[in-house]
Amino acid sequence: MGIYYDDSRKVFHLQSEKSSYIIEMIKGVIPAHVYWGPQLAGREFQHPLNLVERCSFSPTYLQEDKNISLDTLPSEFPSYGNGDFREPALEVHLVDGTTVTDFRYKSYTINKGKPALKGLPATYVESDEEAETLEIVLQDDKTGLIAALSYTVFNDQDVITRSVRIENLGKDNLVLKRVLSANVDFHDSDYEMLQLSGTWTRERHIHKRPLVPGIQRIDSKRGSSSHQQNPFMALLAKDATEDHGEVYGFSLVYSGSFLAQAEVDQYGISRVGIGIQPFNFQWLLEPGESFQAPEAVLVRSSEGLGGLSRTYHRLYRTRLCRGEFRDSKRPILINNWEATYFNFNADKIKEIAKAGKELGLELFVLDDGWFGKRDNDDSSLGDWVEDRRKLPEGLGKLGEDITAMGMEFGLWFEPEMVSPESDLYREHPDWCLHVPGHKSSLARQQLVLDLSRKDVCDYIVESVSSVLSSAPITYVKWDMNRNMTEIGSALLPAERQRETAHRYILGLYDVLERIVSRFPHILFESCSGGGGRFDPGMLYYMPQTWTSDDTDAVERLKIQYGTSMVYPASSMGAHVSAVPNHQVHRITPLETRGHVAMSGNFGYELDLTKLTEAEREDIRKQVSEYKELRMLIQYGDFYRLLSPFEGNETAWMFVSADKKEAFATYFQVLAGPNPPLRRLRLKGLDPAKSYKLELNGGVYRGDELMHFGLTLPQLEGDFRSLLFVLREV
């Protein structure tokens, strides 16, 4: 495994754990995509691209060879203007008003390890021996513009990461109109495209569609990765399933507006591109300056979607997430939001925390409403000062009282926002995103602070740090509850206004880096109305995300199942809430709510002081059971068994790395009359091991459990679930 270069053929061969990725320099100058598929054992590659002349509507790029047309060539990094009529990865507005560039190969380097991306989150290595990085330098001689293409191959994972850095080595100002992070031209179009789509409280549902001629696109223009689309897409071979077949994944390590698309051309080539959303984006690149695009993470699996997901899980859990909590157990929490909303005082909060301690919970989280004059959504965002009406002895004393109970203490923030009804806004009305002369749109009665400004970022860092230093806080829920409108900055000149949204994300990353570095003992959880910014960029700073504001157990089956396509269980916040559920008003058994929430970072979000004794006892058992299984659930290998998108049942399971322990859950949504007898076939076990099933004490071989399965009892009633724990005998 590694990166090899055949100088005689001008071919780069990138070998990951089980895959090969091959690039050929056509005529020594044009980087063409040759192959991405199962690993080819030899370092040398003997099959050059088959190039033939098509027709006059596909212009010849090199006069000496009529077979070479950019219109038909599978390209590694297409730019605009020289006969490639498909969508480019790069488009530049030149000083003469044109947008024609001609990037040709200049040089390459191959180095061990993986360099960081300046100002951006990215996957990393802990040793240079874990990976190798290829940089291919292309140059447009007319402008002096450089495109440095970066490829990192992980030696023990089927992963290739890509990014591009654009440098202006010329004498003129240039304007970048489009800079995608990765482009792959597949040689056919016999694929289905999978995407994760939805809306607030219905995030990351799985949708598939066959590729057809033209463009199939998902994107966000909201200033964030969004509830509506996730910055991920996959191509599935027509015979691919959950467990078998070729699957190719594309995931963007970025939290702002993005684009991911597949374009099928006239000859059946499928061009996949992913990167920053070009719509309403531009970047003025002055001489000597550079622009770094975010990282795209490319994963190939011959073991279907399940293999793809487990590769992403392993990579993001161990080489994207960072800090003390990357590998350590996450606490079981109680959050007061759905218990009290804004209506609480210190005594009520301590009552809930005390009840939580008695049930075995480990962390109390004080949600929205503790600061300023925050009695509803209408005021006080930006004024991060405790409300002495609700907390007469202050936040610090409340935190001390809760920690004295043996509970940890956590706190909710929404630092990126400001309420018009706030001291901060009255003092700095120009600190929000706005366009002079235009009305500013409100959402949840708030505006977005302009994080493209250093003074605003500094204010957030210092105001949040002041609170975090004032109390024994070990957990922060970092929320963001609206998208960008009237995107403009008071400090940027006219020619840079369309840089605002990306500069905001860079500012956000700077803020997060400073705060999490200053408080390494605090577990940070990101949130955006639940799952509106559930993306790899945020996981770099905060190792878990509130998966959705929808806490209904039945709806969570689809949300958590879809999220698992890319993101590990250790990144998913999942809580048991009250019934009737506050979002859909469904009544589900406490057991089912517990089994769903136990499949992520476990917690509760209800008034523990109002439980019956039977409910209290059930919760004690859930908490005790989760503590025994916690490390397996948070860090084991995840297998999807039955899809909620394909029927009335859902099932998934976790298997330890040594395959000595497993945890599986089965969910039935609606009961049916006189149903057929069912068996649940498990996955991921060692076929030669014997496992004891805690439910009935039976001992079964791994091959029996995977091929014959567990016989399921007939469940009575809607919204029922079963839990299975298996341990090696």
Side-chain angles (χ1 to χ4, degrees):
M1 278 133 359
I3 300 173
Y4 310 102
Y5 178 59
D6 181 349
D7 185 59
S8 64
R9 296 177 179 272
K10 300 293 187 291
V11 169
F12 295 94
H13 186 173
L14 289 66
Q15 287 184 340
S16 59
E17 184 184 31
K18 297 178 182 178
S19 300
S20 285
Y21 188 106
I22 296 174
I23 305 163
E24 180 183 356
M25 292 298 164
I26 304 299
K27 298 296 184 180
V29 295
I30 311 168
H33 180 74
V34 178
Y35 176 82
W36 185 23
Q39 189 185 95
L40 307 176
R43 296 184 179 185
E44 296 181 353
F45 183 71
Q46 307 297 326
H47 302 276
L49 279 176
N50 183 25
L51 303 174
V52 296
E53 183 180 6
R54 290 291 188 171
C55 69
S56 62
F57 289 95
S58 294
T60 299
Y61 178 67
L62 299 174
Q63 294 303 315
E64 64 272 21
D65 192 337
K66 294 182 179 181
N67 293 333
I68 299 176
S69 171
L70 299 185
D71 189 34
T72 59
L73 188 75
S75 177
E76 272 300 300
F77 196 71
S79 60
Y80 177 75
N82 289 297
D84 190 338
F85 298 104
R86 298 161 293 182
E87 294 222 343
L90 179 66
E91 184 178 2
V92 186
H93 189 184
L94 309 182
V95 70
D96 62 6
T98 66
T99 54
V100 177
T101 51
D102 183 12
F103 285 88
R104 301 194 178 197
Y105 170 72
K106 290 297 180 182
S107 63
Y108 79 94
T109 57
I110 299 174
N111 294 302
K112 288 187 177 296
K114 184 179 189 295
L117 300 186
K118 184 178 180 180
L120 287 166
T123 57
Y124 60 89
V125 295
E126 293 185 339
S127 164
D128 283 348
E129 301 307 311
E130 292 182 22
E132 284 191 272
T133 298
L134 164 68
E135 183 174 89
I136 297 175
V137 177
L138 312 177
Q139 185 167 9
D140 176 58
D141 289 335
K142 177 183 176 182
T143 61
L145 203 60
I146 290 287
L149 313 184
S150 177
Y151 303 76
T152 294
V153 177
F154 286 78
N155 294 327
D156 62 350
Q157 301 199 62
D158 238 0
V159 174
I160 297 174
T161 66
R162 289 188 58 179
S163 63
V164 60
R165 184 182 69 258
I166 308 299
E167 298 180 15
N168 186 356
L169 302 186
K171 299 178 180 179
D172 298 320
N173 289 348
L174 302 172
V175 177
L176 304 179
K177 307 288 286 185
R178 169 192 289 246
V179 187
L180 299 188
S181 297
N183 183 93
V184 177
D185 283 357
F186 290 82
H187 291 265
D188 58 34
S189 58
D190 198 22
Y191 299 100
E192 284 188 311
M193 174 176 160
L194 182 147
Q195 63 196 66
L196 303 177
S197 305
T199 185
W200 175 70
T201 67
R202 187 165 39 82
E203 299 92 339
R204 290 172 301 286
H205 283 205
I206 295 173
H207 296 269
K208 298 179 188 176
R209 48 178 159 154
L211 294 188
V212 297
I215 295 175
Q216 289 98 133
R217 170 181 294 163
I218 59 170
D219 66 355
S220 170
K221 304 179 185 71
R222 295 171 172 267
S224 71
S225 49
S226 83
H227 297 86
Q228 289 70 26
Q229 307 289 353
N230 195 260
F232 165 80
M233 63 173 288
L235 293 190
L236 288 62
K238 288 296 181 66
D239 60 348
T241 65
E242 177 67 26
D243 302 304
H244 306 284
E246 292 289 307
V247 181
Y248 299 85
F250 301 81
S251 176
L252 188 66
V253 187
Y254 188 62
S255 306
S257 298
F258 75 92
L259 169 70
Q261 66 181 30
E263 178 180 8
V264 178
D265 74 3
Q266 58 191 327
Y267 298 114
I269 291 177
S270 301
R271 169 166 292 179
V272 175
I274 190 168
I276 293 174
Q277 169 65 261
F279 178 82
N280 200 41
F281 165 85
Q282 67 179 34
W283 194 272
L284 176 61
L285 201 62
E286 297 181 353
E289 291 184 340
S290 65
F291 178 87
Q292 177 63 60
E295 180 172 87
V297 179
L298 281 57
V299 171
R300 188 201 70 87
S301 168
S302 59
E303 298 172 355
L305 287 168
L308 183 89
S309 297
R310 286 185 288 279
T311 298
Y312 274 117
H313 295 176
R314 190 161 54 251
L315 180 74
Y316 285 175
R317 192 173 61 234
T318 65
R319 291 298 181 266
L320 178 66
C321 295
R322 303 176 297 161
E324 294 181 11
F325 296 93
R326 186 189 75 177
D327 303 320
S328 61
K329 65 184 180 182
R330 311 285 172 80
I332 306 172
L333 65 82
I334 171 65
N335 182 299
N336 72 295
W337 178 240
E338 290 193 16
T340 67
Y341 293 102
F342 296 103
N343 184 25
F344 62 83
N345 56 33
D347 289 339
K348 180 62 178 178
I349 292 303
K350 286 187 279 190
E351 287 177 13
I352 296 174
K354 182 174 182 291
K357 175 60 179 177
E358 292 171 352
L359 297 174
L361 307 186
E362 301 161 327
L363 165 68
F364 175 84
V365 179
L366 178 59
D367 212 283
D368 195 356
W370 59 267
F371 55 93
K373 299 176 181 178
R374 184 78 164 171
D375 296 325
N376 51 46
D377 292 340
D378 294 344
S379 73
S380 301
L381 287 175
D383 297 342
W384 300 110
V385 179
E386 64 223 333
D387 183 352
R388 291 282 178 154
R389 298 172 305 152
K390 298 178 181 179
L391 310 176
E393 296 183 282
L395 194 64
K397 182 61 166 62
L398 176 65
E400 291 170 2
D401 290 346
I402 289 175
T403 56
M405 300 175 190
M407 293 278 278
E408 295 183 57
F409 181 55
L411 199 61
W412 178 96
F413 284 93
E414 192 172 1
E416 301 166 59
M417 301 291 149
V418 63
S419 302
E421 181 55 42
S422 67
D423 293 338
L424 180 65
Y425 185 78
R426 284 185 284 270
E427 185 176 351
H428 298 287
D430 63 329
W431 274 18
C432 64
L433 295 177
H434 69 285
V435 176
H438 288 266
K439 176 182 70 68
S440 292
S441 304
L442 292 177
R444 202 176 183 243
Q445 297 302 308
Q446 61 197 56
L447 299 167
V448 183
L449 286 172
D450 181 3
L451 271 66
S452 74
R453 298 176 55 144
K454 185 178 184 303
D455 52 356
V456 174
C457 292
D458 290 344
Y459 170 79
I460 293 174
V461 171
E462 295 311 314
S463 61
V464 171
S465 296
S466 177
V467 175
L468 297 181
S469 300
S470 72
I473 295 167
T474 59
Y475 168 99
V476 165
K477 181 181 179 181
W478 183 291
D479 212 342
M480 190 278 284
N481 279 307
R482 64 155 294 178
N483 292 139
M484 297 180 188
T485 57
E486 294 82 42
I487 302 174
S489 174
L491 294 189
L492 291 177
E495 63 271 20
R496 290 192 179 273
Q497 284 297 323
R498 292 177 72 175
E499 300 175 8
T500 304
H502 180 58
R503 287 186 179 275
Y504 177 101
I505 298 298
L506 296 178
L508 171 63
Y509 290 153
D510 172 65
V511 165
L512 297 180
E513 184 65 35
R514 286 194 272 166
I515 290 178
V516 301
S517 298
R518 191 177 294 186
F519 299 96
H521 67 286
I522 292 179
L523 171 60
F524 288 85
E525 178 174 281
S526 67
C527 177
S528 176
R533 207 163 57 184
F534 203 133
D535 60 66
M538 294 303 293
L539 288 181
Y540 182 77
Y541 304 98
M542 303 182 177
Q544 61 189 59
T545 300
W546 179 227
T547 312
S548 176
D549 277 350
D550 193 335
T551 56
D552 172 62
V554 174
E555 176 54 31
R556 271 297 186 109
L557 294 175
K558 290 184 176 179
I559 293 171
Q560 291 176 207
Y561 190 99
T563 303
S564 76
M565 199 59 59
V566 192
Y567 305 102
S570 61
S571 69
M572 294 187 223
H575 298 171
V576 175
S577 62
V579 292
N581 174 263
H582 291 196
Q583 290 80 48
V584 302
H585 310 289
R586 196 185 338 256
I587 297 175
T588 54
L590 179 57
E591 180 181 54
T592 301
R593 285 177 274 153
H595 290 169
V596 174
M598 286 171 67
S599 300
N601 291 313
F602 190 40
Y604 292 83
E605 194 157 329
L606 69 169
D607 192 341
L608 298 176
T609 67
K610 296 180 179 180
L611 300 175
T612 67
E613 186 53 44
E615 289 172 329
R616 290 168 58 83
E617 185 58 32
D618 286 343
I619 287 178
R620 284 192 188 95
K621 291 178 180 177
Q622 287 178 353
V623 170
S624 176
E625 195 156 37
Y626 186 78
K627 287 179 178 178
E628 288 189 17
L629 297 168
R630 172 163 39 192
M631 295 303 285
L632 169 63
I633 293 168
Q634 293 178 353
Y635 302 107
D637 291 330
F638 182 77
Y639 293 84
R640 292 179 291 267
L641 307 180
L642 296 171
S643 170
F645 298 99
E646 297 176 3
N648 189 48
E649 302 165 297
T650 303
W652 52 57
M653 66 183 293
F654 302 85
V655 182
S656 62
D658 59 11
K659 298 188 181 299
K660 292 183 177 182
E661 187 179 24
F663 160 69
T665 50
Y666 167 86
F667 305 94
Q668 172 185 280
V669 177
L670 297 178
N674 194 22
L677 298 178
R678 295 296 310 275
R679 295 198 304 268
L680 181 66
R681 293 181 178 88
L682 305 185
K683 299 177 183 177
L685 302 175
D686 185 332
K689 290 185 185 297
S690 293
Y691 296 89
K692 182 178 180 179
L693 177 63
E694 290 194 356
L695 184 68
N696 61 14
V699 176
Y700 310 92
R701 284 177 54 85
D703 54 0
E704 295 177 52
L705 293 168
M706 291 190 290
H707 300 306
F708 181 83
L710 289 169
T711 299
L712 297 173
Q714 294 192 39
L715 298 177
E716 296 180 357
D718 298 336
F719 321 130
R720 296 294 308 280
S721 64
L722 295 167
L723 179 149
F724 304 99
V725 177
L726 295 156
R727 291 189 171 92
E728 181 186 12
V729 176

